[in-house]
Amino acid sequence: MSAEAAAIELARSVSGEQTVWLVGGVVRERLLARPPTGAVDLDLIIEGDAERFARALRAAAPRGTALFALSDQFGAWRLRDGSGEWQVDCTPLQGETLEDDLRSRDLTINAIAEPLEGGDLIDPTGGVGDLDRGLLRAADSGSFNADALRVVRLVRFATDLGFEIEARTLAAATAAADGLTEVAGERIFAELNAILAAPAAVAGFELLREIGACELVLPELCALGGLEQTAYHHLDTYDHTLEVLQQAIELEQDPKALFGEAPGARVGALLAEPLADGLTRAGGLRWAALLHDIAKPQTRAEFDDGRVGFPGHDVEGARIARQILERLRASERLRAHVAKMTAEHLRLGFLVHEMPLTRAAVYRYLTGCEPVEVDVTLLSLVDRLATRGRKAEPAIAVHEQLASELLAQALDWRDNGPPKPLWRGDELAAELGIAPGPQLGELLELIAEGQFCGDLEDPQQALELARRSIGDER
């Protein structure tokens, strides 16, 4: 039995005489014949006491299922099973009738209900017909004014489903976009994540901009528009950013096309790993693609020879990326991950001029980029692939070569870690007669680098190197 079927059967088992309807995503996706992806999310409308129903459901659910109030305003409750396979939202009927409740929802395609026990669909707004036509239409003329987040949700559904937006609905969403300034950051973040996860994410962000929502939820991204770059870029900073995002999506979809069979499989496995906030590492790469050049407006400089540059946009960008994700209430893990990738996204490009790299240069790259050594290598590559101005083809070719070499090293480093240390810090300090502190840290790092490079094979060689470094001739 699928997780969806199990969750529905569980709800049926406790419904008793209470009237309950399935509504929203599960009904919509069934009608579209789209198989479930990720955790199952059931929305239930309860005629009567939703809390009592939710507590009965919790009592019948597997051990580890959590129950908590979801909304004081609407009296909703959420259950989430311990394995993360499903969650169920139980909301009391809003309005006097089910039809009133459904008309108060965002879009007609989300305003279709089905009795929990089975039976005919209830569709007062014509959502089934809109699904057949591939049309997004507001369930009510005041839909977006009731909750401005629905403006971003409209973009999310257009991006995910590829549906056309009815002209009046698009106009209403555009008119209501200013209300997004009052919407909680975490709600916006959830919708942006859904847009970013879609194959057509680039079109989604373009639509956000078209309806005036981008400048309210991600003003820093909109500020990139019209910012011209160096002769090595063929696009302004905004369009370049979306091209980097598109390259990241294509890499994620087929990493073997860039790296070959075995390395591509390793990259695919890494990108599929959970990261934070319900995102995989692929989602982290997409966020970094979106934010990697975010500080270019603040750092633009014109030099005496007429050139334009953006000195320090990597470091300043890391600060701004963190600030944006804090505003959106993202987790600290995602903030740190994206900020580190932004801070290091230029490092590989600088190393192109040092090819062929020494083992020491590789070591400094890996340790400098850790713990995003693989992720930022991928970011650097998609950034380069999206930069097709002057002398683009030879520059891309050499960048791809170096990225492939460093990627193999980074994957091995991530899988195996550095070599086992030849000395413990306290033991080395005692042997050298020095106190723990920065000097000891520098010596340990010197030894680790020598060991990675193959110059040091045993503790005695490492000790002799440390003694020479501090001028101890014993």
Side-chain angles (χ1 to χ4, degrees):
M1 183 182 294
S2 69
E4 178 183 309
I8 291 173
E9 188 59 36
L10 181 66
R12 285 174 177 162
S13 73
V14 302
S15 60
E17 298 299 316
Q18 211 162 6
T19 303
V20 181
W21 296 273
L22 280 167
V23 68
V26 168
V27 179
R28 181 190 68 243
E29 297 301 293
R30 272 194 201 162
L31 291 171
L32 289 170
R34 296 209 309 179
T37 58
V40 173
D41 190 355
L42 293 187
D43 288 320
L44 302 179
I45 298 175
I46 315 298
E47 186 175 51
D49 190 337
E51 180 180 354
R52 181 167 65 84
F53 181 88
R55 292 193 180 279
L57 192 56
R58 167 65 185 85
R63 181 178 298 179
T65 300
L67 171 66
F68 51 93
L70 187 61
S71 167
D72 292 335
Q73 179 182 358
F74 299 110
W77 290 77
R78 171 170 291 174
L79 293 95
R80 182 177 293 143
D81 82 317
S83 66
E85 291 186 350
W86 56 261
Q87 70 177 27
V88 178
D89 289 350
C90 304
T91 307
L93 189 68
Q94 306 297 307
E96 294 185 4
T97 67
L98 175 63
E99 287 75 11
D100 291 339
D101 184 306
L102 295 175
R103 289 190 180 94
S104 72
R105 292 175 179 263
D106 55 357
L107 301 169
T108 62
I109 64 168
N110 297 326
I112 307 166
E114 175 187 324
L116 182 62
E117 297 299 328
D120 294 337
L121 298 175
I122 301 94
D123 179 22
T125 67
V128 173
D130 287 342
L131 283 172
D132 291 339
R133 288 188 291 273
L135 185 68
L136 295 177
R137 185 165 57 88
D140 181 81
S141 59
S143 177
F144 300 107
N145 291 324
D147 183 359
L149 182 69
R150 291 173 173 179
V151 175
V152 186
R153 280 174 60 82
L154 175 68
V155 174
R156 189 244 286 190
F157 286 113
T159 306
D160 180 40
L161 300 175
F163 282 12
E164 179 185 351
I165 303 175
E166 181 209 38
R168 286 178 297 180
T169 296
L170 184 62
T174 302
D178 285 350
L180 285 165
T181 58
E182 305 300 319
V183 177
E186 58 268 27
R187 297 183 70 211
I188 293 171
F189 178 60
E191 298 300 329
L192 291 178
N193 276 343
I195 294 169
L196 202 56
V202 170
F205 281 95
E206 289 281 52
L207 182 56
L208 276 178
R209 193 184 191 198
E210 177 186 337
I211 65 176
C214 183
E215 63 189 40
L216 297 165
V217 299
L218 280 176
E220 301 88 349
L221 179 63
C222 286
L224 302 180
L227 185 65
E228 297 300 327
Q229 304 197 82
T230 69
Y232 298 100
H233 289 78
H234 67 298
L235 299 170
D236 73 9
T237 312
Y238 174 83
D239 288 329
H240 167 74
T241 293
L242 293 191
E243 178 63 19
V244 175
L245 174 58
Q246 182 60 39
Q247 292 289 343
I249 292 169
E250 292 175 12
L251 183 153
E252 175 190 340
Q253 291 172 338
D254 189 10
K256 295 178 183 178
L258 274 176
F259 304 115
E261 190 70 25
R266 295 177 75 187
V267 169
L270 176 129
L271 291 175
E273 290 179 5
L275 176 62
D277 300 324
L279 298 170
T280 61
R281 295 183 86 94
L285 177 61
R286 292 190 187 199
W287 268 111
L290 200 65
L291 300 180
H292 76 288
D293 277 349
I294 207 70
K296 281 193 169 178
Q298 294 87 341
T299 58
R300 185 179 186 276
E302 295 184 9
F303 303 109
D304 292 340
D305 60 3
R307 290 183 303 111
V308 171
F310 305 91
H313 80 271
D314 47 351
V315 176
E316 179 65 6
R319 184 190 69 80
I320 295 175
R322 172 177 281 279
Q323 187 178 70
I324 290 169
L325 292 171
E326 285 174 354
R327 184 178 73 227
L328 294 172
R329 303 292 192 267
S331 67
E332 171 56 27
R333 185 175 183 189
L334 184 65
R335 298 175 201 174
H337 185 85
V338 174
K340 181 64 172 176
M341 289 176 71
T342 302
E344 305 296 344
H345 80 275
L346 299 177
R347 189 186 284 259
L348 190 152
F350 292 146
L351 290 177
V352 166
H353 307 291
E354 300 180 21
M355 294 175 67
L357 298 188
T358 64
R359 290 288 290 169
V362 172
Y363 177 82
R364 289 191 288 271
Y365 177 81
L366 296 175
T367 55
C369 293
E370 201 173 23
V372 298
E373 62 279 359
V374 178
D375 312 75
V376 79
T377 303
L378 300 176
L379 175 61
S380 175
L381 179 56
V382 296
D383 189 16
R384 179 67 259 188
L385 291 171
T387 305
R388 297 191 301 276
R390 182 189 299 169
K391 300 179 180 178
E393 294 308 317
I396 288 173
V398 71
H399 199 104
E400 283 186 308
Q401 177 187 342
L402 180 58
S404 294
E405 293 173 4
L406 285 174
L407 182 67
Q409 301 273 2
L411 287 166
D412 289 343
W413 179 272
R414 188 173 182 275
D415 289 345
N416 306 317
K420 183 179 178 181
L422 294 172
W423 282 90
R424 274 179 25 192
D426 58 340
E427 293 174 341
L428 182 63
E431 187 71 27
L432 296 173
I434 62 174
Q439 183 186 35
L440 177 61
E442 292 171 4
L443 291 171
L444 290 171
E445 182 63 21
L446 183 66
I447 291 171
E449 181 177 316
Q451 192 177 355
F452 179 85
C453 295
D455 299 332
L456 302 177
E457 297 180 356
D458 58 56
Q460 185 59 37
Q461 289 178 319
L463 180 61
E464 290 171 0
L465 175 62
R467 283 175 171 164
R468 289 196 301 272
S469 298
I470 63 172
D472 184 346
E473 301 300 329
R474 285 180 293 171

